[in-house]
């Protein structure tokens, strides 16, 4: 299961958002810096309305969604790359995740301390991104010293050195590693470094309940920063989400309607994170269960079968495949077959998002 790390300055709402994400998680959320020291981990179901529709068609006994893991990482501060505020420990936690959800404070509240004394999302983003880049730069420069010696006799080292020199130049210019153009081979040569600023990122603009429907000026500032990085922004209210957890479904709907929204942004954040991780979903359905399965983009039918059981991949014969929309529109697998919409796909077939699949295999 791939992991997304929730990061940001202290007191921006990270732990409150995390608690809402995992519903019954026990992450501390308090009004002082470094409340969270050890990272909290929670496994979250990815919302997928397709499962309900398929379950009705198959009269399934249960529904099993796919999941993604979120890690609540302590707040970073200026100087973290030099160890300020237990920065080395927190940066190491970020190194272990696959993607970053950067929570940015876009609300004003005199009762909640801001470490810099005022709300300024652009400044806050720059603080975090700079600390990640400085940590990467130190690591790149150390690696370059060793690689230069090896490059005298090794072509692989020469390739890596070229990538490191590009990274060093870009990081010194204030860019993140993900903004630096490397060839596929160059990127592969430095994968082992696990550079923090190379990780894909989503900005979660955390607003008050009054700004959830329309956003505010601070949200627009976050969008401008994200646009320059080709990153995504999700508007969410940790305050609203923390209240929704305590309500019934009917009460939730009424509360959100009173705010002029259909949701608090949490579903969008989970789905966007799932996509950011380069994940896709195929579906299986039957009387026992309807289930979503996670694969990486580009996986073939046998590889997808292997996510269910390794025997399915080893003994793969074919996959009976139908697009989700085609199946739902026709109401049953038999009706879809009669119209020629169910295909028999072989070992080279690349699984598409939303494929409903039945695997045939030899034991």
């Amino acid at each position: 299961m791939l992991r997304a790390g929730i990061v940001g300055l202290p007191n921006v709402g990270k732990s409150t958002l995390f608690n809402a994400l995992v519903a019954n998680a026990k992450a501390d959320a308090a009004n002082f810096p470094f409340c969270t020291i050890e990272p909290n981990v929670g496994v979250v179901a990815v919302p997928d309305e397709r499962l309900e529709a398929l379950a009705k068609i198959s009269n399934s006994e249960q529904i099993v969604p796919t999941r993604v893991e979120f890690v609540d990482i302590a707040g970073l501060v200026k100087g973290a790359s030099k160890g300020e505020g237990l920065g080395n420990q927190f940066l190491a936690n970020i190194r272990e995740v696959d993607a970053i959800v950067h929570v940015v404070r876009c609300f004003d509240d005199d009762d909640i301390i801001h470490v810099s004394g005022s709300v300024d999302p652009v400044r806050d983003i720059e603080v975090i991104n700079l600390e990640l880049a400085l940590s990467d730069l130190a690591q790149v420069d150390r690696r370059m010293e060793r690689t230069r010696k090896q490059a005298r006799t090794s072509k692989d080292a020469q390739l890596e050195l070229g990538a490191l020199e590009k990274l060093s130049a870009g990081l010194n210019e204030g860019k993140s590693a993900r903004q630096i153009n490397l060839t596929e081979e160059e990127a592969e040569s430095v994968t082992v470094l696990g550079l923090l600023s190379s990780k894909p990122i989503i900005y979660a603009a955390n607003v008050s309940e009054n700004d959830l429907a329309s956003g505010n000026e601070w949200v627009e500032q976050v969008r401008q920063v994200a646009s320059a990085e080709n990153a995504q922004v999700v508007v969410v209210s940790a305050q609203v989400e923390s209240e929704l957890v305590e309500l019934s479904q009917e009460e939730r709907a009424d509360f959100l309607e009173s705010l002029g929204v259909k949701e608090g942004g949490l579903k969008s954040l989970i789905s966007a994170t799932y996509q950011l991780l380069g994940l896709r979903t195929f579906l299986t359905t039957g009387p026992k269960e309807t289930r979503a399965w996670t694969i990486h983009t580009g996986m073939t039918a046998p590889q997808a079968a292997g996510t269910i059981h390794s025997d399915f991949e080893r003994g793969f014969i074919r996959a009976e495949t139908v697009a989700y929309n085609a199946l739902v529109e026709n109401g049953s697998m038999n009706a879809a077959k009669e119209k020629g919409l169910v295909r028999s796909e072989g070992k080279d077939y690349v699984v598409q998002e939303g494929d409903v699949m039945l695997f045939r295999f030899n034991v």
Side-chain angles (χ1 to χ4, degrees), residues 244 247-255 267:
L244 290 175
L247 302 178
S248 67
Q249 289 294 336
E250 184 177 348
E251 290 171 329
R252 289 184 184 190
D254 290 342
F255 180 37
K267 288 184 178 180

Side-chain angles (χ1 to χ4, degrees), residues 1 19 51 68 95 103-104 180 186 197 218 331 335:
M1 187 179 300
N19 285 337
L51 295 175
V68 64
R95 203 173 303 282
V103 181
V104 186
I180 299 169
E186 287 173 335
S197 67
W218 290 321

